[in-house]
Amino acid sequence: MHQVVVFIALYLGYVGCLPHSRVRPNVVMVMSDAFDGRLTFDPGSEVVQLPYINYLREMGTTFLEAYTNSPICCPSRAAMWSGRFVHLTQSWNNYKCLDGNATTWMDLLEKNGYQMRRFGKLDYTSGSHSVSNRVEAWTRDVRFLLSQEGRPVTELVGNASTLRVMTKDWETTDRAAQWIRDAAARLPQPFALYLGLNLPHTYKTDSLGPTGGGSTFRTSPYWLKKVSFDLISIPKWLPMAAMHPVDYYSTFTKNCSGEFSQEEIRNIRAFYYAMCAEADAMLGQVLAALRSAGLLDNTVVMFTADHGDLAMEHRQYYKMSMFEGSAHVPLLIMGPGLASGLQSNQTVSLVDLYPTVLELAGVPAPGDLSGHSLLPLLSRSGARPPQLHPGWALSEYHGCNANASTYMLRKGQWKYIAYADGQSIPPQLFDLTLDKKELHNVVAKFPQVGAYMEEQLRNIVAYPDVSQAVQLYNKQQFMSWQKSLGSNYTQVIANLRWHVDWQRDVSANEKAVQDWLSGT
C-alpha cells in the first residue's frame, strides 16, 4: 500500500511539472493584422505605450526574432492555421490559400475535447480579397510599372476622449470578452479562443473609391497621446536608382515614389504607432475578461500578428516585403507553468504555433508540419531537455506589389533574400547585427556567406521550381479570368486600382499583357 501511495505521489509530481499539467490549459490567441514585432521589446517599445503587451512581457516569454512565413494577410494566416510552409499549401496570394476543409490546430483541439470559439478575422481560405488584388498578383511579370495603391495619408478623427476608432474590432473584442465572462468559466472542458483583429492594418481611403486600397492611417487624439513623438525615427532611404529592382517595383506600385516631407513621414509613423496602441487595448480587454472570470491562471495567452507594416521604412508602407518592418512579427506567450520575464533570441516563425498549441493541450501532432513546438523554450522547469529547433525561419512571398517570387532565410545574424529562379534577379544579404536598418546589401562583400545561405535555402525549398509553378499558375488564372469577362475585359482591367496609370497609355499596357501571355 505504501508503495502505491509513493508511486501516485511521484506520478502527480511529475505531471504537475509539465507545462500543460493534468488539467489541460485553456488557450487564447489574439492575432493582430500588420503589427510590427519590434514594438514588443526595447528599444522599439519605448516609442508607444503598450501596457498589455508589456504585461505579457513581464508574465511570459517574448520572442525577439519571430517572423511571418509570408508578409501578406491570407498566406501568412494559412501558414499559422495549417502549420505548413506556403509552398507546401500553395497559398500564393490573398485569393489562393487553404481549402475550406483544411485541418487547423483548432480542429484538432476540438476533436480532442476542447470547446472552440473563433471571433473576428480568420482570413486563411481561398476566394477572398478584391479582384484588383488578385489580378495585380497574377500580372506581376508583365513588363509595365503601374501604381496600384493609394499614396499613404493620415486622418485624425474624434477628440481626446475617442477611444473606439476601429469600431468593428471593438465590437468583435466585446463579443469575445463577453463569452469569456458569461460562458467560459462554466464549461466542463478546456476551451480555445481565437480573436483576429484588423488593427493596426491601414483603412481604406474613401476618396479613391471601392478599388483604391487601404492607405489611410487613422487614429484619434486619445491614442496619439500614447506616442512619444520625440522618439520617432525618420528612416533613411536609399536613392531610387540604388534600390534593388524588386524594392524599386514595390515602392512605385505602392505609390511611394513621390516626394514626402519629414513631417508627413513622422505623422504616418506616429499614427501607425497609435493604431498599435488601440490594438493593445483590445488585448487588454481579453486579459481583463479572463481575470474577472477567474481563468487567467489556467489559460495560455498568445499575442502575435500575420505580418508588420513598413510605415515608410525603405520608402514603403504596407507589407509584401522581407524587410524587418514587414516580416518581423510579435510573439508573446504566457501561461501556467511557463517561464515569466523571459526574452528568447531563438529565431522562430508562425508555423511553430501549430505544434506548440498541440503540445500544450497534450494532443499528438501530425507528421507533416513545417514548424516545431516552442514549448521547450517556454518551460519554467529545467526538467525537459530542449528539443532542437532548427534555428532558422523561412518566409516567402508570391503576391502583388513585388514583381518576383521572394524567399527569405533568417539564420543567426544573417538575412538572405533570393528571387525568382535564383539567377535572373540578384539576391540580397543583410547582417542584422551590424545593419539593423537593412541599408547595406553585403552579398558581394561576403560571397561565402551568400553561397552558404543559398545552399541552406535550397535544402529547405527548391525555390526555382516553386517560382516556375507560381508563374504558370498566374498565367492560367489570368487567362481564365480574362475569358470569363468576354467583351467586358478591356473595360474591367482598365478600371482596377491601377486605373490612373493604365489610362496614360492604354494600348501599350494592353500590348504588355498580351506579350506576357504569349511569352514574347
Side-chain angles (χ1 to χ4, degrees):
M1 179 68 179
H2 175 71
Q3 289 179 328
V4 173
V5 172
V6 171
F7 173 77
I8 292 174
L10 289 173
Y11 174 76
L12 293 178
Y14 167 74
V15 172
C17 77
L18 293 177
H20 51 72
S21 188
R22 289 185 69 204
V23 179
R24 295 186 295 172
N26 308 306
V27 177
V28 171
M29 180 184 292
V30 178
M31 188 171 214
S32 186
D33 191 322
F35 201 111
D36 185 345
R38 298 170 301 172
L39 297 177
T40 62
F41 51 86
D42 296 333
S45 62
E46 298 169 2
V47 75
V48 57
Q49 297 173 32
L50 303 171
Y52 301 105
I53 284 174
N54 287 340
Y55 176 78
L56 288 188
R57 287 174 62 188
E58 294 172 6
M59 302 304 294
T61 295
T62 306
F63 286 90
L64 305 179
E65 304 292 349
Y67 288 89
T68 181
N69 299 108
S70 187
I72 194 170
C73 304
C74 194
S76 172
R77 293 165 188 269
M80 187 278 290
W81 282 110
S82 70
R84 305 182 71 211
F85 290 137
V86 166
H87 64 274
L88 298 177
T89 60
Q90 299 185 356
S91 301
W92 302 139
N93 54 53
N94 269 348
Y95 180 68
K96 171 69 170 65
C97 285
L98 299 184
D99 294 334
N101 61 355
T103 300
T104 70
W105 52 264
M106 266 199 158
D107 295 328
L108 290 182
L109 291 189
E110 187 171 31
K111 289 179 181 178
N112 285 272
Y114 271 70
Q115 176 72 37
M116 298 294 104
R117 294 295 295 180
R118 300 172 178 86
F119 296 91
K121 189 171 188 176
L122 299 176
D123 203 17
Y124 65 91
T125 55
S126 296
S128 60
H129 293 269
S130 69
V131 174
S132 284
N133 190 282
R134 70 193 70 150
V135 174
E136 290 158 12
W138 296 335
T139 58
R140 62 186 193 172
D141 288 324
V142 177
R143 294 194 176 277
F144 53 39
L145 191 58
L146 307 173
S147 177
Q148 300 170 4
E149 308 285 355
R151 178 185 168 97
V153 295
T154 59
E155 182 183 1
L156 191 64
V157 299
N159 53 45
S161 63
T162 303
L163 187 148
R164 297 193 168 206
V165 179
M166 170 48 85
T167 55
K168 181 178 179 181
D169 273 355
W170 279 108
E171 290 167 359
T172 303
T173 302
D174 288 344
R175 291 198 302 272
Q178 193 68 41
W179 183 84
I180 291 171
R181 288 190 294 265
D182 292 350
R186 299 197 300 270
L187 291 173
Q189 77 267 47
F191 68 87
L193 181 147
Y194 170 86
L195 172 61
L197 303 176
N198 287 286
L199 277 180
H201 192 291
T202 48
Y203 294 80
K204 288 184 178 181
T205 302
D206 296 334
S207 62
L208 298 177
T211 64
S215 56
T216 296
F217 292 82
R218 180 184 299 153
T219 193
S220 71
Y222 178 90
W223 296 112
L224 215 51
K225 287 191 298 184
K226 311 295 183 183
V227 179
S228 298
F229 273 74
D230 57 328
L231 296 180
I232 297 174
S233 62
I234 303 298
K236 183 179 179 181
W237 293 348
L238 294 175
M240 291 284 288
M243 283 183 173
H244 186 277
V246 175
D247 297 331
Y248 182 98
Y249 179 91
S250 297
T251 291
F252 193 96
T253 58
K254 291 178 181 178
N255 209 346
C256 290
S257 58
E259 293 298 319
F260 288 85
S261 68
Q262 287 204 354
E263 183 180 7
E264 279 184 281
I265 296 169
R266 182 177 285 106
N267 282 341
I268 288 171
R269 292 172 70 75
F271 277 54
Y272 171 68
Y273 298 143
M275 292 160 70
C276 291
E278 187 176 357
D280 175 75
M282 296 173 194
L283 170 65
Q285 291 286 94
V286 173
L287 292 171
L290 289 169
R291 181 179 286 108
S292 66
L295 296 168
L296 195 58
D297 290 340
N298 194 39
T299 301
V300 174
V301 180
M302 302 181 176
F303 178 77
T304 189
D306 54 354
H307 50 73
D309 193 297
L310 288 163
M312 300 312 291
E313 294 180 10
H314 302 279
R315 204 184 187 113
Q316 297 180 41
Y317 76 108
Y318 237 16
K319 54 266 188 176
M320 305 133 171
S321 167
M322 295 303 173
F323 287 127
E324 288 291 284
S326 168
H328 199 139
V329 298
L331 181 55
L332 302 99
I333 303 176
M334 60 167 274
L338 304 183
S340 59
L342 177 66
Q343 291 190 333
S344 174
N345 290 303
Q346 179 72 59
T347 301
V348 300
S349 66
L350 292 179
V351 290
D352 294 325
L353 295 182
Y354 195 120
T356 301
V357 170
L358 293 187
E359 188 174 1
L360 281 165
V363 177
D368 61 348
L369 298 182
S370 301
H372 298 74
S373 174
L374 304 177
L375 204 52
L377 301 171
L378 301 167
S379 178
R380 187 163 54 196
S381 73
R384 301 176 63 221
Q387 302 166 2
L388 291 179
H389 190 284
W392 49 260
L394 172 70
S395 189
E396 52 190 294
Y397 184 67
H398 309 283
C400 59
N401 293 112
N403 56 341
S405 285
T406 307
Y407 307 85
M408 183 272 282
L409 179 62
R410 177 75 167 90
K411 186 174 184 179
Q413 72 196 78
W414 303 105
K415 176 187 286 188
Y416 181 71
I417 309 172
Y419 299 91
D421 58 5
Q423 301 293 326
S424 57
I425 300 175
Q428 291 175 288
L429 178 69
F430 298 102
D431 182 344
L432 295 188
T433 301
L434 300 177
D435 181 24
K436 295 185 184 300
K437 305 299 184 183
E438 301 171 286
L439 294 172
H440 305 284
N441 178 12
V442 294
V443 71
K445 184 177 180 181
F446 298 105
Q448 290 182 322
V449 176
Y452 170 77
M453 295 294 282
E454 172 75 14
E455 179 184 17
Q456 295 297 302
L457 177 60
R458 288 182 185 247
N459 286 339
I460 299 167
V461 53
Y463 73 84
D465 295 339
V466 175
S467 298
Q468 188 175 27
V470 175
Q471 288 176 325
L472 179 61
Y473 160 84
N474 286 340
K475 282 192 177 182
Q476 290 175 337
Q477 290 295 306
F478 182 87
M479 288 188 290
S480 177
W481 173 75
Q482 182 184 49
K483 183 178 180 181
S484 71
L485 293 174
S487 60
N488 292 325
Y489 161 75
T490 300
Q491 180 181 3
V492 172
I493 195 171
N495 286 281
L496 300 179
R497 289 193 295 193
W498 55 34
H499 63 93
V500 174
D501 283 358
W502 185 278
Q503 299 295 345
R504 291 195 174 103
D505 197 337
V506 174
S507 60
N509 293 324
E510 290 178 343
K511 183 178 185 303
V513 172
Q514 293 311 310
D515 288 346
W516 165 64
L517 291 175
S518 61
T520 59

